[in-house]
Amino acid sequence: MAVDRQEVPGLPLATATGARVPAVRRRAWFVLALLVCLMLVNFADKVVVGLSGVGMKRELGLDSSQFGVIQSSFFWLFAVGSVLGGWLGGKVRARWLLAGIAALWVLSLVPMAAQVGFTTIVACRVLLGFAEGPTVALAMQVAHSWFPAHRRSVPSSIVIAGAGAGPLIAAPVLTWVIETYSWHAAFGVLAAFGAVFAVLWLLGGDFGPEGARAGDHHVVATALPEHVPLRRLFSTGTLIGMALLFFVAYANTSVGVSWLPLYLRDGLGYDATTAGKLVVLPFLGAAVAVILVGVLSSALTRRGVGNRVTRGILPAAMVLASGVCTVAFSSLDRGVPQMTLLVISACLNSAGYGVAFAGLADVAPTGQRSTVFGIVTGIYSLGGVVAPLVIGRLADAGTSAAAGYGDGFLVLGFTMIIGAVAALLLVDPDRDAARLAAAS
């Protein structure tokens, strides 16, 4: 029977030829750098509406519920794009697929640089969400194709760190563009960067040598079937638990991207300049934390700690702690303690994304990895649909803006705690990989 060989810590496996190893390594890190740029632009596109929120609401006469619709509309076809992109990821070269996705980003951003109405904004955000839906899954698939399984935690985390760097860099730059010119100009800037990335990716990006084991030591092969029915894959505790974990974590992420700038200004009363600086802090902390956790997971793996701990318990525990911090800061007034808990919550929530994706790869055969990533991304994107709408409704329904936002974050925090506890109980990549191999 044909099998897909998944590596876990253990014994030596044959490596690529010595002459080829350095070239593969250099190309791998170059492609990884391009993927970081991809994620940077990807999340800058997400945060721009939140940064433009005050001016957009004033210009178009929108209330918080209508603005919540705009934020939520990004995710209406996000799941469709995720699943479709995941399916295409196994059939179309990454060079053409990701360049095409970037071209769709540009197409959706250009109209926003001119005068637009509510309906046009929603249509553009729906198109952008559809195009960006498969981005994380495809970026992970490409990154994993350049690195062996036991070394994927760090590259996965670096890719996710690019998502944190997007708002980190975009928030002050786009805030300056908005304050100096207009919120329309910010969308024009992002359209230009999207076009630049598309060209760079066409010149240097693509899938890696999936079977290459450059510098691969201390691994043993665990045989998975080349193909496992999706129903069987998604009945494993690992995929169910990871889907729940990603759902609640992404709900938190989408609220941060969509509502944090407005929460700081309307809910807590910070001015535009101060809010533009403060909004950077959660993304800065998250970008650093996600890499540190990837390094920690990799170090634990080298010491023989099982994947249940390094790629299951570790990210779930962090989301659980993030939920507790979210509940805590939701009831505090503006000040250093409140902002500190908000930043810690964002760091912990984002930190486990990379290693969690590595855990998904442990139970997904290589040929189905893009499909599995796409479906999981589609599932967790629903958190991005629901959370901004709920926050918008609660912000309007509160006795004050601060009270409404506080209620929203309280609900979000308890939801995260429930999802994280479920993941702690369900996720075990080693157990599920062994069961899939035994059933083949």
Side-chain angles (χ1 to χ4, degrees):
M1 167 180 284
V3 297
D4 173 42
R5 299 175 74 80
Q6 308 284 86
E7 314 94 342
V8 297
L11 303 172
L13 190 68
T15 65
T17 64
R20 187 165 176 255
V21 167
V24 171
R25 285 178 173 171
R26 286 194 298 269
R27 180 75 188 280
W29 288 103
F30 175 74
V31 171
L32 192 68
L34 288 178
L35 293 175
V36 170
C37 293
L38 169 74
M39 296 300 294
L40 190 153
V41 178
N42 178 274
F43 269 74
D45 291 345
K46 290 182 175 72
V47 79
V48 66
V49 172
L51 295 171
S52 304
V54 172
M56 187 182 293
K57 289 173 69 177
R58 185 185 303 120
E59 180 179 316
L60 300 178
L62 305 175
D63 59 28
S64 292
S65 294
Q66 290 174 307
F67 188 74
V69 171
I70 290 176
Q71 294 285 34
S72 177
S73 65
F74 177 88
F75 298 98
W76 291 355
L77 292 181
F78 192 94
V80 176
S82 298
V83 176
L84 178 60
W87 178 73
L88 289 174
K91 302 178 181 298
V92 180
R93 283 183 64 180
R95 172 171 293 174
W96 308 115
L97 192 55
L98 283 176
I101 286 171
L104 283 179
W105 297 356
V106 175
L107 183 63
S108 70
L109 291 167
V110 167
M112 300 285 285
Q115 295 298 316
V116 289
F118 176 79
T119 303
T120 303
I121 293 174
V122 170
C124 288
R125 297 304 286 177
V126 170
L127 176 60
L128 181 63
F130 173 79
E132 291 195 356
T135 303
V136 175
L138 290 172
M140 285 298 177
Q141 183 192 8
V142 173
H144 290 177
S145 72
W146 286 97
F147 295 90
H150 73 292
R151 290 185 174 175
R152 286 176 186 150
S153 292
V154 172
S156 296
S157 297
I158 291 174
V159 171
I160 295 297
L168 172 65
I169 296 171
V173 173
L174 294 180
T175 296
W176 177 82
V177 171
I178 291 166
E179 294 295 314
T180 306
Y181 300 98
S182 70
W183 63 268
H184 298 282
F187 285 89
V189 169
L190 289 177
F193 274 102
V196 170
F197 170 79
V199 173
L200 290 175
W201 182 257
L202 282 172
L203 293 175
D206 210 346
F207 284 127
E210 187 84 32
R213 308 299 181 200
D216 215 4
H217 300 289
H218 308 298
V219 294
V220 64
T222 296
L224 283 177
E226 275 192 348
H227 179 85
V228 177
L230 289 176
R231 183 173 62 179
R232 183 185 300 169
L233 276 174
F234 280 91
S235 67
T236 62
T238 295
L239 264 65
I240 294 171
M242 286 296 194
L244 291 171
L245 185 67
F246 277 122
F247 177 89
V248 297
Y250 199 70
N252 179 293
T253 299
S254 65
V255 167
V257 170
S258 302
W259 282 105
L260 183 57
L262 277 174
Y263 172 55
L264 294 175
R265 294 189 62 179
D266 292 348
L268 300 180
Y270 291 104
D271 59 58
T273 302
T274 303
K277 294 176 181 177
L278 290 176
V279 79
V280 167
L281 296 179
F283 297 110
L284 173 61
V288 174
V290 71
I291 295 177
L292 292 178
V293 171
V295 173
L296 173 62
S297 175
S298 182
L300 291 173
T301 297
R302 288 196 301 271
R303 290 177 177 271
V305 178
N307 288 334
R308 170 162 169 72
V309 173
T310 60
R311 298 174 179 182
I313 292 176
L314 182 60
M318 291 188 169
V319 173
L320 175 61
S322 175
V324 172
C325 290
T326 301
V327 170
F329 82 68
S330 68
S331 60
L332 295 180
D333 294 329
R334 160 181 162 174
V336 173
Q338 192 263 1
M339 198 65 202
T340 300
L341 284 171
L342 191 155
V343 172
I344 292 173
S345 172
C347 293
L348 292 171
N349 182 72
S350 300
Y353 269 105
V355 295
F357 265 106
L360 286 178
D362 288 334
V363 297
T366 299
Q368 294 177 273
R369 197 172 293 149
S370 62
T371 301
V372 170
F373 285 0
I375 293 173
V376 170
T377 303
I379 292 170
Y380 76 63
S381 72
L382 298 178
V385 175
V386 176
L389 285 175
V390 171
I391 295 292
R393 296 290 177 86
L394 291 175
D396 278 341
T399 55
S400 66
Y405 283 116
D407 291 341
F409 283 111
L410 183 66
V411 171
L412 175 63
F414 279 116
T415 303
M416 293 170 66
I417 291 170
I418 293 170
V421 169
L424 282 170
L425 297 174
L426 291 170
V427 174
D428 189 340
D430 292 336
R431 174 201 65 200
D432 291 328
R435 288 178 178 176
L436 291 172
S440 63

